[in-house]
Amino acid sequence: MSPPAAVAAADGGTGGGGQQSRQQQQGGFGHSITGIIRIAVFWYFASKFFSPKKPADPSHLISNLFQKGEPMDMWLYLSEHQRFNDFGNEASLVWHETNIPYATWGPESTRTLSLNYHPSDALKNNGSLYAHVFFARSGYPPDPNDPEYQSQAAFGRTHSLVAYLPKSRSDKRKSLLGNSKDAEGSEPVAMVVDDAEAESKDDGPVEWIAYWKPNITINLVEDFTRKIFACSVITC
C-alpha cells in the first residue's frame, strides 16, 4: 500500500507545478500585449505631433480675385450715415472713375479730384461725414440690389472724414523771459502762483470739437500670394 501513496504524492506535486507555470506564461503574454498597445499609442501620437505637415492642395488655395492690370471702376459717395445703401442718389456721388488698372502703379493709375463740399446744418453741429468707397470690375455695378451685381466682382470700405479732438484752450500763462520793460517792478513769484490758481479754476469738462480732414487718399493693397484666404483691401 505504501507505493501507491508515494505515486499519488508525486503526481500531486507535479500537477501543482504545472498549473503555476501555466499562470506565469499567461501573465507574461498579457504583459506583452499591454506593452505592444502602449508602443502603438505612443507611436500614433508621436507621428501626429512630429511628422512633417503635408502641403495644402493647390485646388484648395485661394488667390487674388483680380488680375494684375485688370480695369476697375471706382465710386466715392459722401454721406452723413455710416451705413450706405443709397446708390441711386446722384447727389451723394462726388467722384467716379473708370478703367483704373489694378495693381499697376503708373501715371494712368493715379487720379485726383478737388471739390468744395457744403455741409448741412446737422453736420455743422458736430455731425459726422463718411466717405463710402467702392471698386468693381469695369462694367459691373457696386450696388448689391442691381440685377447684374456679383459679390466677387465688387468690394468697398467706409472711412470717416471727421476727427473729434478736445477743444483747444487759450493759454493764459505769461512768460517770465519776455520783455524786460514789462518785467520791471513785477513780482514773478506771485505771478506764477496767480496763473496756477487761474488754470485750476478753468479746469472743467472737456469739450470735443469735430475737425474736417482736408484730404483723403485711397490706395489699393494687392496680394497675389496663394493662401488659405486672400482679399483686396482699401486703405484711406
Side-chain angles (χ1 to χ4, degrees), residues 19-235:
Q19 183 178 2
Q20 183 177 2
S21 63
R22 286 195 299 271
Q23 291 178 353
Q24 291 178 355
Q25 291 177 358
Q26 293 177 356
F29 181 74
H31 288 302
S32 300
I33 295 280
T34 304
I36 293 173
I37 293 175
R38 289 178 179 176
I39 293 175
V41 172
F42 176 78
W43 176 85
Y44 173 79
F45 285 103
S47 62
K48 288 291 184 181
F49 286 101
F50 300 104
S51 61
K53 296 182 178 180
K54 296 181 180 180
D57 188 358
S59 62
H60 294 165
L61 296 178
I62 300 177
S63 61
N64 203 316
L65 293 175
F66 306 95
Q67 301 298 326
K68 188 168 184 171
E70 183 176 1
M72 305 187 68
D73 299 341
M74 185 201 72
W75 295 262
L76 174 61
Y77 297 87
L78 293 182
S79 173
E80 299 179 14
H81 304 283
Q82 188 172 4
R83 293 186 177 182
F84 182 79
N85 196 26
D86 194 9
F87 291 91
N89 188 359
E90 296 182 357
S92 299
L93 180 61
V94 297
W95 193 8
H96 178 51
E97 294 285 346
T98 59
N99 297 325
I100 302 175
Y102 177 67
T104 302
W105 311 119
E108 69 279 3
S109 301
T110 303
R111 312 290 175 91
T112 58
L113 175 69
S114 298
L115 59 88
N116 295 324
Y117 184 78
H118 301 281
S120 62
D121 294 336
L123 193 58
K124 293 178 182 179
N125 294 318
N126 284 348
S128 298
L129 184 66
Y130 299 93
H132 303 277
V133 186
F134 298 93
F135 280 88
R137 286 190 176 97
S138 294
Y140 288 87
D143 186 2
N145 297 323
D146 194 291
E148 298 181 357
Y149 173 80
Q150 292 186 8
S151 59
Q152 295 185 353
F155 58 94
R157 183 179 175 182
T158 299
H159 180 72
S160 177
L161 296 181
V162 177
Y164 293 91
L165 300 175
K167 182 179 179 180
S168 60
R169 297 179 179 179
S170 58
D171 192 358
K172 297 182 179 180
R173 293 175 296 180
K174 297 181 181 179
S175 176
L176 299 180
L177 301 178
N179 192 352
S180 59
K181 295 181 181 179
D182 296 338
E184 293 179 359
S186 60
E187 298 180 0
V189 177
M191 184 185 300
V192 173
V193 174
D194 292 341
D195 290 343
E197 292 178 356
E199 290 180 0
S200 62
K201 293 179 181 179
D202 293 339
D203 290 338
V206 179
E207 183 179 358
W208 295 82
I209 302 296
Y211 293 90
W212 287 79
K213 295 181 180 179
N215 55 47
I216 177 174
T217 303
I218 304 172
N219 291 323
L220 285 176
V221 180
E222 84 284 357
D223 186 5
F224 294 98
T225 305
R226 295 181 65 86
K227 56 182 66 175
I228 301 301
F229 59 91
C231 61
S232 297
V233 181
I234 304 175
T235 60

